[in-house]
Amino acid sequence: MAKIAVVGSGFIGRAWAISFARAGNEVAMWDQAPAATEGARDYIAGVLGDLEANDLLRGQAPDAVLARISVTPDLGEALRGASHIQENTPEKRDVKREVFSLIDGLAEADAVIASSSSALLPSTFTDHLAGRHRCLVVHPLNPPYLIPAAEVVPAPWTSPETVERTRVLLVDAGHAPLVMKRELDGFIMNRLQGALLEEAFRLVADGYASIEDVDIGIRDGLALRWSFMGPFETIDLNAPQGVRDYVERYQGIYENLFSQMQRRVDWAGPVLETVEADRRAKLPKEKLVERQVWRDRRLMALAAHKRKSEEDIGK
Amino acid sequence: MAKIAVVGSGFIGRAWAISFARAGNEVAMWDQAPAATEGARDYIAGVLGDLEANDLLRGQAPDAVLARISVTPDLGEALRGASHIQENTPEKRDVKREVFSLIDGLAEADAVIASSSSALLPSTFTDHLAGRHRCLVVHPLNPPYLIPAAEVVPAPWTSPETVERTRVLLVDAGHAPLVMKRELDGFIMNRLQGALLEEAFRLVADGYASIEDVDIGIRDGLALRWSFMGPFETIDLNAPQGVRDYVERYQGIYENLFSQMQRRVDWAGPVLETVEADRRAKLPKEKLVERQVWRDRRLMALAAHKRKSEEDIGK
């Protein structure tokens, strides 16, 4: 197993530490604010207990996983011997540029340097580096120890070997990497999410549907099949002769809809009053944190269910 | 409990019969082709066995549910005493207009007449009817006995009472109705699906992602949270202060993406070669039917899991 350095010990850094350590890797966490790092291991211990309760620790005891996670105030020590570095500092281009300079100067010659950035293209903060060929983005959804998908996004100068080593590391850690051919704003997942959200806000703004109607249509409708097949396999199975048959039968309908979707509704405009009023009526602001705990419990139960279904029924 | 008439005994008609009968309603099925109707009860018996195995029959024996489903070659007999009629004939405007004329003439005075149409607006095939105030669309995803969401779509002349009675009937049958304020092409679910598919095809056509990358991003990523929360609750929980905070932080990113999404890729163009080649490499055409059986088993297991999670962790 490898040594992984996690740079930045906030929510995402801690979650990556759990994911990598669960897979058997040694993890060294570093943060420029020692206070942040200090709370990290206690927080992680709590999560590991929940994961064990859902049989999501690969049969290991929480303590055994926790023992593989260390925290250090010394960046050089965190990076020493690490073959993969996962960076989780704030989403600001200048911050990332500086942090990557620092890491590139201190890391082992053959280490891969990955950023968890969700919004910055890797080319915008790695162009100046001697080791830019070994830099890329690995963007998770939160929390990565419960959501397998992670986007691997190369800059134009990222070497194929860097991409491949990262892909293998992620698969070994139980992740499902999406390997982009080249970088693009929003990567894959936020583009898909954005396309759907634009239509959702438009339907609400135009008075056709409520917030709850949209959420029902996804959580009690479309996302059931999507949650174990994805959208392409879904349409492939939704016409007798497969995806070509589906396109021949139904593209006309979608083409007509697309032409109605060219107008953008300002999410922060009047529609936001409706969206916020509906959401706050269902969930008062003071219950948001409690509901996030509920969400993560549901995600854990779903992860356990999917693993069992893949074993019992097939993947 | 009510008597429901199911008009058209194809795949969707049979599935509705199961859903309504499971909830305790008497169901009378009719088809203009007696041969189609004859196979229907055998088919339904098979599905009921699978549902029982997943504890999805509300504790009833399959035979008890099947006993509530009758088939008749006489439309008048099927409609007699029925308070709700669910029509499932081919998606052709002329066919629907004729069938609706027939039903409107024969049905009880206070019966609701619903079409399962996925593509036709209710106004386009009910405008000529004396009883057009009691007509609407109730569009399910397939199969409705496993997928709760169903879209209720009124024509401009559909009475509020018709909409409300339909909503209550669906809720009693364990469905999660989306009640549209007024009709719109594609309703809600196909518009959301279409928006997402357009971006999926564009990402593949432009060479950024593979079919499999898109499917991973949804099935191992976005659709996990969506499958129990929907997209609005997801973003509401994805910023510390809720959905307003989310919009203030991230709308800029999505606005930029939207401006890149105005170009439509022809799904039947060169991209279809890629999509079809990738899908057929993963699943040969002769295995499509087998995979549909797998899909329905996974859907059943997921339905059972969701019910249990709602009980254990909360809805």
Side-chain angles (χ1 to χ4, degrees):
Chain A
M1 284 293 132
K3 177 180 171 184
I4 314 272
V6 169
V7 172
S9 68
F11 185 67
I12 301 173
R14 293 169 187 196
W16 273 124
I18 292 168
S19 192
F20 286 129
R22 175 174 59 184
N25 300 289
E26 295 292 325
V27 176
M29 288 185 77
W30 172 88
D31 201 301
Q32 65 170 7
T37 323
E38 277 161 24
R41 286 185 92 246
D42 285 346
Y43 173 86
I44 289 171
V47 173
L48 290 173
D50 286 343
L51 289 171
E52 189 198 26
N54 284 277
D55 194 17
L56 293 171
L57 278 190
R58 302 184 173 195
Q60 303 167 93
D63 281 353
V65 178
L66 190 61
R68 286 196 287 273
I69 301 174
S70 61
V71 285
T72 168
D74 179 344
L75 181 59
E77 188 188 318
L79 302 182
R80 196 169 307 126
S83 57
H84 179 94
I85 297 147
Q86 188 71 36
E87 174 276 330
N88 314 275
T89 58
E91 288 277 35
K92 289 181 181 143
R93 186 164 170 261
D94 291 348
V95 173
K96 299 266 190 224
R97 289 181 75 84
E98 241 187 86
V99 171
F100 266 70
S101 291
L102 211 58
I103 297 174
D104 192 40
L106 288 169
E108 305 288 349
D110 64 347
V112 165
I113 313 176
S115 171
S116 298
S117 178
S118 67
L120 298 169
L121 297 179
S123 65
T124 63
F125 57 88
T126 63
D127 58 292
H128 59 302
L129 302 173
R132 64 185 196 168
H133 66 281
R134 57 164 166 170
C135 297
L136 78 181
V137 160
V138 176
H139 170 237
L141 293 194
N142 282 322
Y145 52 80
L146 292 179
I147 301 187
E151 299 176 303
V152 177
V153 188
W157 41 78
T158 306
S159 72
E161 191 212 342
T162 298
V163 172
E164 179 57 15
R165 278 178 54 197
T166 305
R167 191 189 67 75
V168 170
L169 177 82
L170 288 167
V171 169
D172 285 348
H175 280 281
L178 297 70
V179 181
M180 291 193 76
K181 310 283 187 290
R182 55 190 197 279
E183 64 180 21
L184 178 68
D185 293 328
F187 312 146
I188 294 171
M189 290 192 284
N190 274 339
R191 292 181 79 89
L192 294 169
Q193 176 170 243
L196 187 136
L197 284 174
E198 292 292 354
E199 180 57 18
F201 273 97
R202 200 162 33 226
L203 282 165
V204 174
D206 293 353
Y208 290 103
S210 69
I211 301 306
E212 184 63 5
D213 289 331
V214 169
D215 275 356
I216 290 172
I218 298 294
R219 82 168 176 245
D220 297 312
L222 293 164
L224 299 182
R225 296 181 299 205
W226 287 349
S227 74
F228 58 90
M229 297 197 294
F232 277 116
E233 182 160 15
T234 294
I235 65 173
D236 193 32
L237 298 184
N238 257 357
Q241 302 299 314
V243 66
R244 177 177 292 275
D245 189 16
Y246 185 94
V247 168
E248 284 164 4
R249 285 170 191 247
Y250 303 118
Q251 168 163 236
I253 295 170
Y254 290 112
E255 199 169 5
N256 177 41
L257 300 181
F258 185 74
S259 69
Q260 301 172 20
M261 294 180 183
Q262 302 316 300
R263 172 181 48 92
R264 186 168 195 277
V265 158
D266 180 8
W267 300 4
V271 68
L272 186 54
E273 306 301 323
T274 308
V275 174
E276 194 178 33
D278 281 16
R279 283 302 309 157
R280 292 293 70 82
K282 284 198 79 88
L283 184 74
K285 205 171 199 173
E286 63 272 19
K287 299 228 166 173
L288 277 166
V289 170
E290 190 180 306
R291 189 71 173 167
Q292 287 162 347
V293 173
W294 166 87
R295 174 195 62 195
D296 288 352
R297 291 212 175 116
R298 289 291 302 258
L299 268 178
M300 280 192 209
L302 180 60
H305 156 77
K306 281 192 72 175
R307 197 190 51 193
K308 187 166 184 322
S309 282
E310 287 170 8
E311 288 165 11
D312 292 352
I313 305 171
K315 191 167 179 171
Chain B
M1 283 294 130
K3 178 180 171 185
I4 313 273
V6 170
V7 172
S9 68
F11 185 68
I12 302 173
R14 295 170 187 196
W16 273 123
I18 292 168
S19 191
F20 286 129
R22 175 174 58 184
N25 300 289
E26 295 293 325
V27 176
M29 286 184 78
W30 173 88
D31 202 298
Q32 64 170 9
T37 323
E38 276 160 25
R41 288 184 92 245
D42 285 346
Y43 172 87
I44 289 171
V47 174
L48 290 172
D50 286 344
L51 289 171
E52 190 198 26
N54 284 278
D55 194 17
L56 293 171
L57 279 190
R58 301 183 173 196
Q60 303 167 94
D63 281 353
V65 178
L66 190 60
R68 285 196 288 273
I69 302 175
S70 61
V71 285
T72 169
D74 179 343
L75 181 59
E77 190 188 317
L79 302 181
R80 196 170 307 127
S83 57
H84 179 93
I85 297 147
Q86 188 72 33
E87 174 276 331
N88 313 274
T89 59
E91 289 277 36
K92 290 179 181 143
R93 186 164 170 262
D94 291 347
V95 173
K96 299 266 190 223
R97 289 181 76 84
E98 241 186 87
V99 171
F100 265 71
S101 292
L102 212 58
I103 297 174
D104 192 40
L106 289 168
E108 305 288 350
D110 63 347
V112 166
I113 314 177
S115 171
S116 298
S117 179
S118 67
L120 297 169
L121 297 180
S123 65
T124 63
F125 57 89
T126 64
D127 58 292
H128 58 303
L129 301 173
R132 64 183 195 168
H133 65 282
R134 55 161 164 173
C135 297
L136 77 179
V137 160
V138 177
H139 170 236
L141 293 194
N142 281 321
Y145 52 79
L146 291 179
I147 301 188
E151 298 175 303
V152 176
V153 187
W157 41 78
T158 307
S159 72
E161 191 211 342
T162 299
V163 172
E164 178 58 14
R165 277 180 53 199
T166 305
R167 191 189 67 75
V168 169
L169 177 82
L170 288 167
V171 169
D172 285 348
H175 281 281
L178 297 71
V179 181
M180 291 193 75
K181 310 284 187 291
R182 56 190 196 279
E183 63 180 23
L184 178 68
D185 293 328
F187 311 145
I188 295 171
M189 290 192 284
N190 274 339
R191 291 182 79 89
L192 294 169
Q193 176 170 241
L196 186 135
L197 284 174
E198 292 292 354
E199 180 58 18
F201 274 96
R202 200 162 31 227
L203 282 165
V204 173
D206 293 352
Y208 290 104
S210 69
I211 302 304
E212 184 63 7
D213 288 332
V214 169
D215 275 357
I216 291 172
I218 298 295
R219 81 166 178 249
D220 297 311
L222 293 164
L224 300 182
R225 295 181 299 205
W226 287 349
S227 74
F228 59 89
M229 296 197 294
F232 277 116
E233 181 159 16
T234 294
I235 64 173
D236 193 32
L237 298 184
N238 256 357
Q241 302 299 314
V243 67
R244 178 177 291 277
D245 189 15
Y246 185 92
V247 168
E248 284 165 2
R249 286 170 192 246
Y250 303 117
Q251 169 164 234
I253 294 170
Y254 290 113
E255 199 168 6
N256 176 40
L257 299 181
F258 185 74
S259 69
Q260 300 172 20
M261 293 180 183
Q262 302 314 300
R263 172 181 49 94
R264 185 170 194 277
V265 157
D266 180 8
W267 299 4
V271 68
L272 186 53
E273 306 301 324
T274 307
V275 173
E276 194 178 32
D278 281 16
R279 283 302 307 156
R280 292 293 70 81
K282 283 198 79 87
L283 184 74
K285 204 171 200 173
E286 63 272 18
K287 299 229 167 171
L288 278 165
V289 171
E290 189 181 307
R291 189 72 172 168
Q292 286 162 348
V293 173
W294 166 87
R295 174 196 61 197
D296 288 352
R297 290 212 177 115
R298 288 290 303 260
L299 268 177
M300 281 192 209
L302 181 59
H305 156 77
K306 281 191 71 174
R307 197 191 50 194
K308 187 166 184 318
S309 282
E310 287 170 7
E311 289 165 12
D312 293 352
I313 305 170
K315 190 168 180 172

